[in-house]
Amino acid sequence: MSMNERVLYELAAADPQLRFSPYCWRVRLALLHKGLAVRTVAWRFTEKEMIAFAGTDKVPVLVDGSRVVHDSWRIAEYLDEAYPAAPLFGDAAARGTARFVARWIESEIQPRMLRMIALDIHSRLDARDRDYFRRTREARLGETLEALHASRETRLPALRAALEPLRRTLAEQPFVAGAAPRFADYAVFGAFQWARLMSEVPLIEPDDPLTAWRARMLETFGASIQA
Ligand SMILES: N[C@@H](CCC(=O)N[C@@H](CS)C(=O)NCC(=O)O)C(=O)O
């Protein structure tokens, strides 16, 4: 790896081109936002030694020349510090509110999504990751992947209801951050990208303001996020 190279380690499915981590998508969009080129590396759950140099067992990991940063939020803060043009947050107050959006999505929305798509994720994983994913997620969720899958229709209304704050926001303004997309949008988009790429389950209805927002996001970023 050359000294000035920028590399992003991203979670991949059996198909190495299928990158599905919600946290990795946040960073991919942040880099696009800033117009920074990156080489991405496919990483699997069980390849812990590949990212041990970064002092973590989770992706995303960004290597930017001599800097190594992990954790999507810390990577976003690092990018704004190192490349102030095209800010991901704005001022400190906007960053504070974006933090709330990211933490809300992680704690309230992604766990609900995971319960709906866990078996679909499992079926798309590389063979060497499947046992690890099943063991860790069944322990975390307290049910088998099959049991979660069988009851997912009954949980869909509660997920849609939980999205109401977002729905009301996007009925009043085009993006989560306001007039244009910023990191708060990328935090939300990562979750939907994860679900969309790994499962067929329709989480949002066609006439939902969230559907129109997602279309605006896909339009803004084009082919690079439509995989
Ligand atoms: N707080 C971290 C969370 C990162 C995270 O949970 N990454 C998942 C992929 S979505 C991971 O690498 N998990 C490894 C594992 O479960 O062993 C961030 O925002 O980057």
Side-chain angles (χ1 to χ4, degrees):
M1 184 158 68
S2 99
M3 261 306 278
N4 294 315
E5 206 183 7
R6 189 176 298 117
V7 180
L8 178 63
Y9 291 81
E10 291 185 315
L11 184 60
D15 170 1
Q17 293 316 316
L18 183 53
R19 309 292 168 89
F20 66 96
S21 156
Y23 303 102
C24 294
W25 276 105
R26 294 177 180 187
V27 174
R28 189 84 86 80
L29 283 153
L31 290 163
L32 286 167
H33 179 108
K34 288 194 178 282
L36 297 171
V38 71
R39 177 168 71 86
T40 65
V41 174
W43 175 85
R44 304 306 190 325
F45 281 116
T46 46
E47 294 181 307
K48 301 295 186 200
E49 73 294 341
M50 199 200 284
I51 54 170
F53 71 91
T56 183
D57 62 352
K58 294 184 174 62
V59 291
V61 169
L62 179 73
V63 180
D64 191 17
S66 59
R67 286 292 305 263
V68 178
V69 193
H70 68 88
D71 185 277
S72 58
W73 183 267
R74 290 183 45 217
I75 293 172
E77 290 190 324
Y78 162 74
L79 290 174
D80 258 4
E81 225 174 86
Y83 308 96
L88 289 165
F89 298 108
D91 62 11
R95 186 175 60 187
T97 311
R99 193 195 301 271
F100 169 77
V101 174
R103 299 315 178 216
W104 173 70
I105 282 284
E106 291 162 15
S107 56
E108 196 59 33
I109 302 303
Q110 288 178 182
R112 292 176 191 274
M113 287 183 174
L114 178 59
R115 299 180 90 84
M116 310 211 46
I117 66 173
L119 187 64
D120 293 335
I121 294 176
H122 182 265
S123 71
R124 286 163 170 77
L125 287 180
D126 192 78
R128 65 199 133 136
D129 271 3
R130 286 194 186 156
D131 289 348
Y132 172 82
F133 181 83
R134 177 182 289 281
R135 180 166 42 78
T136 54
R137 272 50 180 180
E138 288 185 347
R140 188 197 296 176
L141 302 172
E143 279 184 78
T144 66
L145 302 183
E146 286 73 13
L148 288 164
H149 186 81
S151 59
R152 68 179 179 174
E153 291 301 318
T154 62
R155 281 194 308 271
L156 189 52
L159 168 62
R160 288 181 175 165
L163 290 167
E164 188 63 13
L166 208 48
R167 191 172 292 118
R168 289 194 193 186
T169 303
L170 293 168
E172 292 179 60
Q173 61 189 43
F175 294 99
V176 180
R182 293 210 184 197
F183 195 73
D185 292 87
Y186 311 149
V188 176
F189 189 81
F192 283 101
Q193 191 76 329
W194 176 48
R196 184 174 76 94
L197 294 173
M198 297 305 270
S199 175
E200 312 282 312
V201 67
L203 295 183
I204 47 181
E205 289 172 299
D207 63 348
D208 192 315
L210 275 161
T211 304
W213 164 80
R214 197 170 58 181
R216 281 195 289 281
M217 290 289 291
L218 292 169
E219 218 172 88
T220 306
F221 289 97
S224 39
I225 62 168
Q226 309 212 355

